[in-house]
Amino acid sequence: MRYTKIVIPALTAVCLALAALPVQADSVQADCVMHKKGEKAKQGTGPCTFSQRQGFIDIELKNGKVFSLKPGKKGGHYKDQEGQTVVRMEETASSVKFKWEHANIVVHWRD
């Protein structure tokens, strides 16, 4: 009986302490290609960082521009930091494409 009075509060304290730790995002170095709608030239190509945590996505281009996507109401749909709709398209084992009304970004995973 005395053992239970000690162990249960101790386990509860440990669980609460672990729950308070900050959550780390899954980040990976990648190569990104950005195309603006109607333009043949690539607007940005090069290294980028792709981060994903709990459905939220950040894509940081080499020029420092960051696209922060939050989950929308439908699967594969997001809103960026400006409120524009973004759709996750054409996902393969080595890349994923995100499409805006005016542009798209293809993220290629590095080996």
Side-chain angles (χ1 to χ4, degrees):
M1 186 82 151
R2 183 172 167 90
Y3 177 76
T4 304
K5 289 182 180 179
I6 294 172
V7 172
I8 291 177
L11 285 175
T12 302
V14 169
C15 289
L16 289 173
L18 290 174
L21 292 175
V23 176
Q24 295 288 323
D26 289 327
S27 296
V28 63
Q29 295 301 309
D31 291 307
C32 290
V33 179
M34 182 174 181
H35 293 273
K36 288 201 175 184
K37 188 174 184 178
E39 296 181 11
K40 292 183 181 181
K42 298 172 187 174
Q43 295 298 310
T45 302
C48 62
T49 303
F50 178 86
S51 301
Q52 185 170 333
R53 75 254 168 251
Q54 298 178 346
F56 292 81
I57 294 173
D58 286 332
I59 302 169
E60 183 175 354
L61 303 179
K62 68 180 178 181
N63 65 4
K65 173 77 172 164
V66 177
F67 298 93
S68 296
L69 311 179
K70 66 178 184 177
K73 294 180 182 177
K74 292 172 33 179
H77 288 72
Y78 300 86
K79 291 285 184 181
D80 69 9
Q81 66 272 17
E82 297 171 1
Q84 297 178 7
T85 299
V86 182
V87 180
R88 189 176 190 139
M89 314 273 297
E90 302 175 19
E91 190 165 355
T92 69
S94 61
S95 68
V96 63
K97 180 179 182 179
F98 293 92
K99 184 176 181 181
W100 282 256
E101 181 180 325
H102 64 284
N104 63 54
I105 295 177
V106 181
V107 180
H108 298 279
W109 317 128
R110 292 184 179 174
D111 293 326

